């Protein structure tokens, strides 16, 4: 991979634009295809040197052209090769037709392929630009290959996978390896696409980095520190607890206090200078028996909150974990509309009947609101966006962020963080065992702590998700939310 492009994710349309720009600049597009096909062959030889037969499935476009080039290279290397084509190869045009002619040997209809022991399939049927369900003939082959457990090396993307959304278009190969070109595609990081690609290799086929960067709109990337570390204020020798930020977390009533405590403790671990739990009077004693480093403040109603907010040092809040959904939560959010707020769980669900009420509170000025919905909560606030089957997870998060003027953390194994200006980051470092009760409360506290330290909402959300994943990896399998808190480390 060209390291200068390692952070980029290009959508299929952006990659097509890069290909077109390269050709327009005078670069030989067939030469690029030769490099791509040779790279596929090299990957086959590296991973499957013991294969009895290379079975190359060639599609009706340039992805098929890559397959024909790979077939020629493998045959010249002494590998037994058999090619199967989708559609009429005589109808191929341009570079793909030249590649077919370069193969120059027998090719059989795709429908004729029957797996045999020792086969390895090179899937060169469809590239990243597939936007419709695969035809029945391809579905049948996918099923036969899966039933026979034949290893698959996918060219660009496993056929049947949407390169933009990661969705399966009818059916898709499950690849052992995928070799893609110049940059990764969003669908290779989003689920289920991430699991269908197997090990992913990015091959530089020679398109200049300047052309690739020009084609990339820069809106979608993997969630990595380079996107948010520059916004973190480094601590100097004269730093004190208030300059590191004061995080306030609202507690639920008696018997419902644990979530807020985990959130507040995570905030301290993530670098906040102080953390206070604002609890109803009935829950003060219960909280006090479990707290040492976290302070307590009694807040029974909106009047108490408004009085507390006279302290201008209180700028960052977490509301939702264990708080309870309803009118009280809505009133508290309204009172906090000029402050920085992480809204989670019950805080989100409190606005399910009238999401526009929430959006109106934070509609003006800089982004001050971070929301951390899982799929169900997302659907309650954005039912029309959630129900739109034409949109992928990134698309949905982007639209929601714009509508709400908020940073959206659309949670899941492939969490997407989106900003109102269209930026989106796909998280990839979260282990599966983070799916446990209380994990989201910890995440809310981490994000709140980063906002309290001065990070903008979107960057704090992205950094929080990343630190949450790192903590989960350190804690290991079988973690509880309490374990997770103890493994949170500051930036």
């Amino acid at each position: 991979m060209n390291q200068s492009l390692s952070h980029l994710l290009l959508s299929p349309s952006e990659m097509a634009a890069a290909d077109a720009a390269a050709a327009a600049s005078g670069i030989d597009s067939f030469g690029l295809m030769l490099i791509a096909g040779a790279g596929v062959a090299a990957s086959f030889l590296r991973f499957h040197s013991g294969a009895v037969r290379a079975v190359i499935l060639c599609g009706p476009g340039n992805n098929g052209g890559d397959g024909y080039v790979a077939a020629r290279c493998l045959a010249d290397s002494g590998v037994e090769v058999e090619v199967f084509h989708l559609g009429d190869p005589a109808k191929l045009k341009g570079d793909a037709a030249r590649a077919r002619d370069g193969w120059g040997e027998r090719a059989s209809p795709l429908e004729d392929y029957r797996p045999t022991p020792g086969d390895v399939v090179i899937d060169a049927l469809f590239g990243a630009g597939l936007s419709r369900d695969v035809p029945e003939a391809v579905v049948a082959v996918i099923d036969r290959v899966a039933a026979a457990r034949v290893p698959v090396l996918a060219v660009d993307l496993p056929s049947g996978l949407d390169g933009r959304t990661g969705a399966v278009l009818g059916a898709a190969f499950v690849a052992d390896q995928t070799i893609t070109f110049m940059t990764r595609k969003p669908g290779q990081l989003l689920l289920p696409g991430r699991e269908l690609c197997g090990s992913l290799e990015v091959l530089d086929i020679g398109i200049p980095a300047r052309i690739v960067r020009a084609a990339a709109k820069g809106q979608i990337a993997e969630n990595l520190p380079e996107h948010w570390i520059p916004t973190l204020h480094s601590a100097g020798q004269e730093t004190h607890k208030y300059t590191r930020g004061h995080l306030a977390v609202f507690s639920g009533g008696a018997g419902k206090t644990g979530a807020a405590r985990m959130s507040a403790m995570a905030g301290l671990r993530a670098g906040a200078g102080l953390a206070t739990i604002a609890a109803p009077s009935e829950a003060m004693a219960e909280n006090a028996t479990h707290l040492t480093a976290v302070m307590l403040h009694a807040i029974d109603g909106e009047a108490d909150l408004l009085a507390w907010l006279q302290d201008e040092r209180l700028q960052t809040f977490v509301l939702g974990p264990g708080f309870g959904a309803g009118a009280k939560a809505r009133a508290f959010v309204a009172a906090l509309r000029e402050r920085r707020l992480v809204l989670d769980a019950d805080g989100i669900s409190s606005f399910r009947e009238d999401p526009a009420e929430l959006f109106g509170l934070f509609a003006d000025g800089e982004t001050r609101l971070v929301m951390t919905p899982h799929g169900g909560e997302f659907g309650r606030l954005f039912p029309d966006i959630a129900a739109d089957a034409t949109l992928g997870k990134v698309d949905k998060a982007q639209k929601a962020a714009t509508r709400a003027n908020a940073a959206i953390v659309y949670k899941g194994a492939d969490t997407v963080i989106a900003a109102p200006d269209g930026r989106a980051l796909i998280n990839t470092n979260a282990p599966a065992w983070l799916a446990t009760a209380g994990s989201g409360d910890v995440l809310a506290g981490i994000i709140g702590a980063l906002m309290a330290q001065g990070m903008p909402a979107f960057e704090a959300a992205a950094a929080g998700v990343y630190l949450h994943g790192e903590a989960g990896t350190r804690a290991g399998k079988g973690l509880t939310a309490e374990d997770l808190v103890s493994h949170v480390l500051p930036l």
Side-chain angles (χ1 to χ4, degrees):
M1 181 192 302
N2 185 324
Q3 291 303 310
S4 69
L5 303 176
S6 61
H7 68 288
L8 285 181
L9 296 178
L10 261 66
S11 69
S13 60
E14 290 169 342
M15 193 65 238
D19 289 337
S25 74
I27 295 172
D28 178 13
S29 60
F30 186 64
L32 298 179
M33 182 174 284
L34 292 176
I35 296 170
V40 172
S43 184
F44 178 95
L45 293 171
R46 185 165 63 254
F47 289 109
H48 302 289
S49 58
V52 174
R53 180 175 66 158
V55 176
I56 305 180
L57 312 180
C58 293
N62 283 345
N63 199 247
D66 296 337
Y68 284 113
V69 173
R72 182 73 272 153
C73 292
L74 289 172
D76 290 346
S77 300
V79 176
E80 181 182 344
V81 174
E82 185 147 4
V83 173
F84 294 86
H85 57 78
L86 175 64
D88 183 357
K91 294 182 179 180
L92 291 173
K93 298 178 180 179
D95 293 337
R98 290 181 65 184
R100 174 208 61 208
D101 294 342
W103 164 238
E105 298 188 30
R106 185 174 68 90
S108 304
L110 179 69
E111 294 84 351
D112 292 350
Y113 174 55
R114 297 295 184 274
T116 61
D119 281 356
V120 173
V121 164
I122 294 179
D123 164 26
L125 288 171
F126 298 108
L130 183 68
S131 59
R132 63 188 185 282
D133 284 0
V134 296
E136 287 302 317
V138 174
V139 174
V141 170
I142 289 171
D143 290 343
R144 287 198 291 270
V145 167
R149 298 187 176 182
V150 174
V152 175
L153 170 61
V155 180
D156 207 13
L157 280 166
S159 290
L161 180 62
D162 187 319
R164 184 175 63 89
T165 69
V168 172
L169 299 171
F173 284 106
V174 179
D176 296 84
Q177 297 88 29
T178 296
I179 181 166
T180 196
F181 307 120
M182 298 310 301
T183 74
R184 294 167 299 167
K185 316 305 183 289
Q188 294 164 337
L189 272 62
L190 294 165
L191 293 173
R194 188 194 305 173
E195 295 183 332
L196 299 180
C197 289
S199 63
L200 183 62
E201 176 184 355
V202 181
L203 176 67
D204 184 345
I205 61 173
I207 300 176
R210 59 179 174 78
I211 291 178
V212 177
R213 283 195 292 267
K217 296 178 181 177
Q219 295 287 81
I220 305 174
E222 183 180 3
N223 186 24
L224 295 172
E226 63 198 60
H227 298 292
W228 32 263
I229 281 289
T231 68
L232 179 69
H233 299 294
S234 58
Q237 291 295 320
E238 296 184 358
T239 297
H240 55 80
K241 60 187 178 184
Y242 284 105
T243 60
R244 291 178 58 199
H246 187 172
L247 176 65
V249 181
F250 291 95
S251 170
K256 299 178 181 179
T257 61
R261 287 197 299 275
M262 287 188 292
S263 188
M265 283 303 302
L268 280 182
R269 295 279 304 178
L274 304 94
T276 297
I277 287 180
S281 297
E282 67 174 45
M284 290 290 284
E286 181 179 318
N287 272 308
T289 59
H290 295 280
L291 296 174
T292 303
V294 176
M295 299 181 291
L296 272 170
H297 188 88
I299 297 285
D300 285 308
E302 186 179 359
D304 295 330
L305 175 57
L306 291 172
W308 195 35
L309 291 177
Q310 296 302 308
D311 185 345
E312 291 295 328
R313 294 173 299 182
L314 295 167
Q315 289 294 324
T316 309
F317 299 81
V318 174
L319 190 150
F323 189 79
K328 181 180 178 181
R330 292 193 295 274
F332 276 32
V333 170
L336 296 167
R337 60 186 176 275
E338 300 299 330
R339 308 296 171 98
R340 295 185 291 266
L341 175 63
V342 180
L343 196 63
D344 183 42
D346 291 340
I348 293 172
S349 295
S350 294
F351 290 89
R352 64 186 303 171
E353 299 300 327
D354 186 10
E357 176 187 354
L358 170 62
F359 305 155
L361 293 171
F362 294 88
D364 298 325
E366 67 175 356
T367 303
R368 305 180 301 281
L369 176 64
V370 175
M371 291 191 283
T372 59
H374 55 58
E377 292 162 345
F378 187 94
R380 292 169 200 146
L381 281 190
F382 308 99
D384 57 327
I385 297 174
D388 190 339
T390 68
L391 300 176
K393 189 170 186 177
V394 170
D395 306 313
K396 292 178 180 181
Q398 289 171 318
K399 285 182 175 293
T402 300
R403 179 180 296 178
N405 191 32
I408 299 293
V409 178
Y410 194 173
K411 294 189 292 193
D414 56 350
T415 292
V416 173
I417 310 97
D421 62 10
R423 288 175 294 160
L425 298 173
I426 303 170
N427 199 65
T428 61
N429 76 335
W433 48 88
L434 269 179
T436 187
S439 177
D441 305 322
V442 175
L443 173 61
I446 297 172
I447 295 171
L450 295 171
M451 292 177 75
Q453 292 171 74
M455 290 186 83
F458 171 70
E459 286 81 2
V465 169
Y466 187 89
L467 293 180
H468 188 246
E470 293 292 288
T473 299
R474 285 189 291 269
K477 294 181 179 180
L479 65 82
T480 65
E482 290 92 336
D483 299 328
L484 186 60
V485 169
S486 67
H487 285 86
V488 174
L489 296 177
L491 289 172

